[in-house]
Amino acid sequence: MTEQEVLAATPVQEDTTKEDRPITVFEDPKNYNVKHPLQNTWTLWFDNPGKKASATNWSQNLKEIVDVNTVEDFWGVHNNIVKVNHLEISSNYHIFKKGVRPEWEDPVNASGGKFSIQFPRNRTGEAINDYWLNLILAMLGEQFQYEDEICGAVVSVRKVFYRVALWIKSSERNEKIETIGRQLKEFLNLNSNLTVEFTPHSDSSNKSGENRFTV
Ligand code: MGP
């Protein structure tokens, strides 16, 4: 092949402009056009501070904020909402799989329960933002071994403590639940000797402690 023939056979390098070539968020955090899908779509909910919750008005206070189904959209939302340590007392953020309302009555949650961990506000301060972020990242990144058991997570701001909770579908003590509890401590970088409490939603709604256990 002559040099001319080689040149003629070589495809012309297209003049790709920024708009039509794939740009990841790592390359250009503002003008990226490639998004990385999450395995599930997740909904962020918030509930109104200042209104005393009761089992009957609970549902009315819940506000659905936004759905995210890509890594980039998650960061867009996370970076633009009020940080947990700046929320008013009695507020909660909830992140649940799309279609599951963050309440005991939802059919997906009805037989389930939650692991919860309280952090004293005065000693925790801004670190609550990292505990919450680590929990969400583990959940959205499908890091839990029994991912299908996971319904969502809640962070609550109360007068003297913050609380993070992981809601799961079932509530009988078994290998699955114990593994999720151990992984929760691991993902939050908590000492594995610390005990985390699991409360079936039926106990929360009856205000009883009969079926609680710790991992
Ligand atoms: P909470 O905020 O989960 O508990 O629920 P906390 O922070 O310990 O508050 P405290 O007031 O119990 O000390 C607060 C109240 O909201 C509950 O007692 C219920 O009346 C109501 N509530 C909370 N949740 C998660 C639900 C729910 O899923 N369904 C219904 N019907 N009521 C709920």
Side-chain angles (χ1 to χ4, degrees):
M1 219 183 231
T2 66
E3 195 180 342
Q4 275 80 6
E5 282 167 332
V6 171
L7 285 173
T10 307
V12 178
Q13 183 70 44
E14 279 192 29
D15 178 19
T16 48
T17 61
K18 270 198 149 202
E19 286 68 41
D20 61 15
R21 80 186 164 80
I23 306 165
T24 69
V25 70
F26 306 108
E27 195 183 338
D28 183 341
K30 288 217 166 74
N31 301 307
Y32 61 86
N33 57 18
V34 173
K35 291 191 182 185
H36 299 80
L38 297 170
Q39 210 120 335
N40 282 289
T41 301
W42 299 83
T43 306
L44 172 70
W45 303 72
F46 174 68
D47 70 291
N48 240 350
K51 293 187 184 168
K52 179 72 188 152
S54 76
T56 43
N57 73 7
W58 165 259
S59 216
Q60 288 153 244
N61 292 336
L62 277 175
K63 300 271 175 293
E64 201 173 326
I65 310 290
V66 67
D67 287 347
V68 292
N69 60 9
T70 66
V71 173
E72 289 75 7
D73 288 350
F74 164 72
W75 286 112
V77 170
H78 181 78
N79 293 338
N80 286 291
I81 59 174
V82 177
K83 296 268 175 283
V84 176
N85 68 317
H86 289 146
L87 287 176
E88 284 180 49
I89 289 172
S90 92
S91 310
N92 307 285
Y93 278 138
H94 317 251
I95 297 189
F96 275 66
K97 285 181 181 158
K98 188 173 171 62
V100 182
R101 285 181 64 86
E103 52 193 11
W104 313 318
E105 293 84 353
D106 187 284
V108 177
N109 297 321
S111 321
K114 67 174 187 223
F115 276 111
S116 52
I117 309 171
Q118 287 191 187
F119 300 94
R121 279 181 61 153
N122 58 354
R123 277 192 280 130
T124 309
E126 286 182 14
I128 188 61
N129 300 327
D130 291 336
Y131 287 125
W132 176 233
L133 178 61
N134 287 341
L135 174 54
I136 308 171
L137 291 179
M139 202 173 67
L140 271 60
E142 317 281 332
Q143 298 290 300
F144 286 97
Q145 190 174 339
Y146 299 103
E147 195 288 320
D148 197 45
E149 280 287 317
I150 308 291
C151 301
V154 185
V155 64
S156 306
V157 180
R158 299 293 180 265
K159 208 167 173 189
V160 293
F161 60 83
Y162 297 111
R163 180 178 57 223
V164 293
L166 179 66
W167 285 37
I168 61 182
K169 273 186 198 166
S170 55
S171 59
E172 267 165 50
R173 184 172 196 155
N174 59 25
E175 211 272 313
K176 279 190 189 179
I177 292 199
E178 291 184 355
T179 303
I180 292 172
R182 279 196 302 274
Q183 287 191 299
L184 174 63
K185 288 190 264 186
E186 185 190 318
F187 297 143
L188 267 56
N189 296 318
L190 299 173
N191 190 318
S192 58
N193 296 327
L194 184 113
T195 53
V196 291
E197 190 172 65
F198 184 86
T199 314
H201 297 317
S202 53
D203 272 24
S204 305
S205 57
N206 298 332
K207 298 204 180 291
S208 87
E210 281 174 57
N211 300 303
R212 288 182 193 190
F213 59 85
T214 54
V215 169

